[in-house]
Amino acid sequence: MKENILAGTQIFGGMSEKEISTAMEKLSSVEKKYRKGSRILHAGSTIDSIGLVLEGSVTIENNDIWGNRTILSHVGSGQFFAETYGFLGDIPLLVDVVANETCRILFLRVAILRTRIAKVEPWMMKLTMNLLMITTQKNLMLSGRSFQTSPRTIRGRVMAYLNSIAIQKNQSEFDIPFDRQQMADYLNVERTALSKELGKMKKDGLIDYHRRRFILLLP
């Protein structure tokens, strides 16, 4: 059952199958499928729902009117997006959410958490606390990105980014969620310059890599 799958996600943590089933009904859950490259949410629009990635992955992007793209984060299976916008309900999005690959998304109308009636239901209290935890963790991730893009040199940004992932995974060998263009967009650098710098870092014995697989080499 879908409830068994959802029980392993953060937003439904600590909830019974019955509570999850009730939440799905009360939050008017809707599942949708998207092809790679599809715009799931558009900047300037409003939404009253949170998106849960059931399968595949999405990227959170800022695309300006001149065609420049900055990737703010990658959201994989079992993770969420638009939680702040969904809860507030009437704030225009400043970002686009794009399908990074073919994916399935479950939308939950979390704006109902703001109503007086919702507050007296026990399952809502659990879900609200879980949503608060998710939002707090997202804030930490965005704060971490500011450290990764603050160095002036490309090498500095790459090292800050790879170091943060190594710390999170507690290992020096890992896969990153981005291809080269996405990595460049995430770090706010040109793809050609990034590839050139990665090659230099490999030659200097700082890293080794193949596609999305990176190894941090100790001196």
Side-chain angles (χ1 to χ4, degrees):
M1 293 178 63
K2 181 177 291 186
E3 284 77 6
N4 293 329
I5 299 175
L6 296 178
T9 62
Q10 190 173 4
I11 198 168
F12 292 115
M15 297 173 64
S16 66
E17 286 191 16
K18 183 177 180 180
E19 288 176 320
I20 293 175
S21 181
T22 300
M24 295 278 285
E25 178 184 353
K26 296 292 185 179
L27 299 181
S28 303
S29 63
V30 177
E31 182 180 325
K32 296 184 179 181
K33 295 182 179 180
Y34 296 89
R35 295 181 179 180
K36 180 178 180 179
S38 299
R39 284 277 192 280
I40 299 171
L41 297 177
H42 299 260
S45 62
T46 58
I47 185 173
D48 63 359
S49 303
I50 184 176
L52 166 59
V53 181
L54 297 176
E55 183 179 299
S57 63
V58 306
T59 54
I60 312 301
E61 308 177 357
N62 174 257
N63 296 283
D64 63 31
I65 60 176
W66 298 280
N68 300 308
R69 178 178 75 162
T70 300
I71 293 181
L72 302 176
S73 64
H74 172 276
V75 182
S77 180
Q79 298 180 320
F80 303 84
F81 60 86
E83 56 277 354
T84 300
Y85 291 107
F87 180 76
L88 295 176
D90 56 357
I91 304 298
L93 276 73
L94 298 178
V95 296
D96 294 319
V97 179
V98 181
N100 191 48
E101 56 191 305
T102 299
C103 57
R104 293 190 298 122
I105 308 296
L106 180 69
F107 290 98
L108 303 165
R109 293 186 61 199
V110 293
I112 195 176
L113 296 173
R114 298 166 56 190
T115 67
R116 185 179 301 276
I117 296 177
K119 295 179 182 178
V120 302
E121 299 184 49
W123 66 268
M124 280 287 190
M125 297 301 295
K126 294 180 182 179
L127 194 140
T128 300
M129 291 303 298
N130 292 339
L131 182 61
L132 176 61
M133 183 65 69
I134 292 169
T135 303
T136 302
Q137 291 174 343
K138 285 289 185 71
N139 287 337
L140 286 175
M141 289 176 58
L142 290 175
S143 177
R145 183 180 182 277
S146 67
F147 287 110
Q148 296 160 13
T149 57
S150 60
R152 295 184 178 182
T153 65
I154 296 177
R155 177 170 294 199
R157 295 187 181 192
V158 171
M159 292 180 70
Y161 172 59
L162 296 180
N163 181 68
S164 68
I165 297 180
I167 292 174
Q168 292 169 12
K169 295 182 177 292
N170 194 31
Q171 56 187 28
S172 59
E173 183 174 349
F174 47 79
D175 292 320
I176 66 172
F178 302 130
D179 59 28
R180 287 295 176 270
Q181 183 60 61
Q182 291 174 325
M183 184 179 181
D185 291 338
Y186 179 81
L187 296 175
N188 281 339
V189 299
E190 293 293 331
R191 177 178 177 176
T192 301
L194 172 64
S195 297
K196 184 177 181 181
E197 188 58 44
L198 288 175
K200 289 181 178 179
M201 293 175 68
K202 185 174 184 178
K203 183 177 180 181
D204 292 343
L206 296 174
I207 62 173
D208 195 7
Y209 60 88
H210 178 67
R211 296 184 177 179
R212 301 189 184 203
R213 190 74 174 177
F214 279 82
I215 303 175
L216 305 187
L217 303 177
L218 300 177

